Amino acid sequence: MTGNLADRAYRHLRTRLSRGELAPGMRLVNRTLAADIGVSVIPVREAINRLASEGLVEQIPGSGAFVRKINREDLDDLYVLRDALESCAAGEAARNATSDQLDRFDEILKRVADTTDAIQKSKRGHSNKRQLNQWMDDEEAFHHLLIETSQNRLLAKVVDENRAIAAVFECQRDSPKLLTAELAKRTLSSKRKLIEAIRKRNADQARQLMSQHIRRGQQTVVEFFFSDDAPGER
């Protein structure tokens, strides 16, 4: 029974982390979280330990558990891993994609296009928090579908165990200024080219386009968060 409650606590915390509701650097108080979830502190403690093993939470002796702040080295490592895994997945997807999976890609691209249009029509020049969360949800869905479409269970296992996709997107969810109208337009175009290559069964081109897509994303995110004029606490 305790295991089920720990899973419930874990899913609750993971959801809040993915939504940006638990900000980097925030202290996780067991009793407060237990009251929010409706469980005792023991399942919460187990959930936090699990999150710590995944690298999402940092446990500091004598101080408690804190939502981990991602640093540049962590981010670079994640992008290198994603480039290796997802470029491979794109090539395999070009060989194995079903018509249903291609239709699902088209559905995601339609939502991405709608968000892009909304951002471009805004006078801000960048997304708001709602648009950013929708964009990040669709980004994760797109990349997870790419892994699924590769039909490589070992690849999917490595991605899941290393959280190579989710961790990158979670660190961006509290930064609406990152998603500019120009970036949204460029990213949408990149995704469309990739799906067209997969649709044409061009594995080499799909692999190359995926690698370029991830490297451009890495450059954009690293410059935004770690350049001299980067924003402060997110």
Side-chain angles (χ1 to χ4, degrees):
M1 187 65 178
T2 303
N4 291 336
L5 293 176
D7 286 342
R8 174 181 165 188
Y10 170 80
R11 290 193 300 272
H12 176 90
L13 294 176
R14 282 284 283 107
T15 298
R16 293 189 64 186
L17 283 166
S18 68
R19 292 175 178 171
E21 296 173 4
L22 300 175
M26 179 179 176
R27 184 167 182 262
L28 300 177
V29 181
N30 289 356
R31 292 189 180 279
T32 302
L33 293 172
D36 289 342
I37 301 169
V39 298
S40 69
V41 296
I42 294 176
V44 171
R45 189 179 301 122
E46 292 179 10
I48 288 175
N49 287 338
R50 183 175 171 184
L51 292 168
S53 71
E54 295 177 351
L56 286 174
V57 170
E58 183 177 11
Q59 294 176 313
I60 301 176
S63 298
F66 299 82
V67 178
R68 186 177 179 186
K69 295 180 180 180
I70 196 166
N71 58 40
R72 179 165 184 166
E73 184 178 358
D74 291 335
L75 201 58
D76 283 337
D77 287 347
L78 283 167
Y79 271 107
V80 168
L81 181 62
R82 286 189 59 208
D83 188 2
L85 297 175
E86 294 186 63
S87 296
C88 176
E92 293 302 300
R95 298 184 179 94
N96 299 316
T98 66
S99 58
D100 175 68
Q101 287 166 333
L102 289 170
D103 287 344
R104 288 160 63 192
F105 275 121
D106 288 340
E107 291 171 3
I108 295 172
L109 289 179
K110 174 62 168 60
R111 295 197 300 269
V112 172
D114 289 344
T115 302
T116 299
D117 288 343
I119 295 171
Q120 290 180 322
K121 291 176 182 177
S122 169
K123 295 180 180 179
R124 289 184 303 272
H126 60 78
S127 68
N128 58 30
K129 188 65 180 291
R130 181 188 61 78
Q131 290 165 341
L132 179 66
N133 278 326
Q134 179 63 57
W135 180 274
M136 291 302 171
D137 287 345
D138 290 330
E139 278 280 295
E140 287 198 52
F142 182 93
H143 289 270
H144 281 294
L145 179 55
L146 181 72
I147 299 298
E148 174 193 317
T149 305
S150 75
Q151 297 186 30
N152 187 314
R153 288 178 293 176
L154 289 178
L155 192 152
K157 185 173 185 291
V158 173
V159 170
D160 185 58
E161 289 177 347
N162 290 276
R163 305 190 60 260
I165 296 175
V168 168
F169 294 130
E170 285 172 8
C171 78
Q172 302 172 34
R173 282 185 179 269
D174 199 36
S175 305
K177 289 184 179 179
L178 170 62
L179 183 57
T180 64
E182 177 59 31
L183 176 59
K185 181 180 178 180
R186 189 168 65 244
T187 303
L188 174 61
S189 175
S190 176
K191 281 180 165 56
R192 283 173 168 163
K193 290 178 182 177
L194 172 62
I195 298 309
E196 186 61 24
I198 292 174
R199 197 183 305 276
K200 291 181 177 179
R201 307 297 178 184
N202 191 329
D204 289 341
Q205 184 182 33
R207 183 190 292 266
Q208 181 180 18
L209 288 170
M210 189 72 243
S211 181
Q212 292 172 352
H213 178 76
I214 290 177
R215 290 179 184 181
R216 282 195 299 267
Q218 178 181 9
Q219 181 180 1
T220 299
V221 173
V222 168
E223 287 180 356
F224 182 84
F225 287 124
F226 300 105
S227 65
D228 291 338
D229 57 349
E233 286 295 315
R234 303 193 293 280

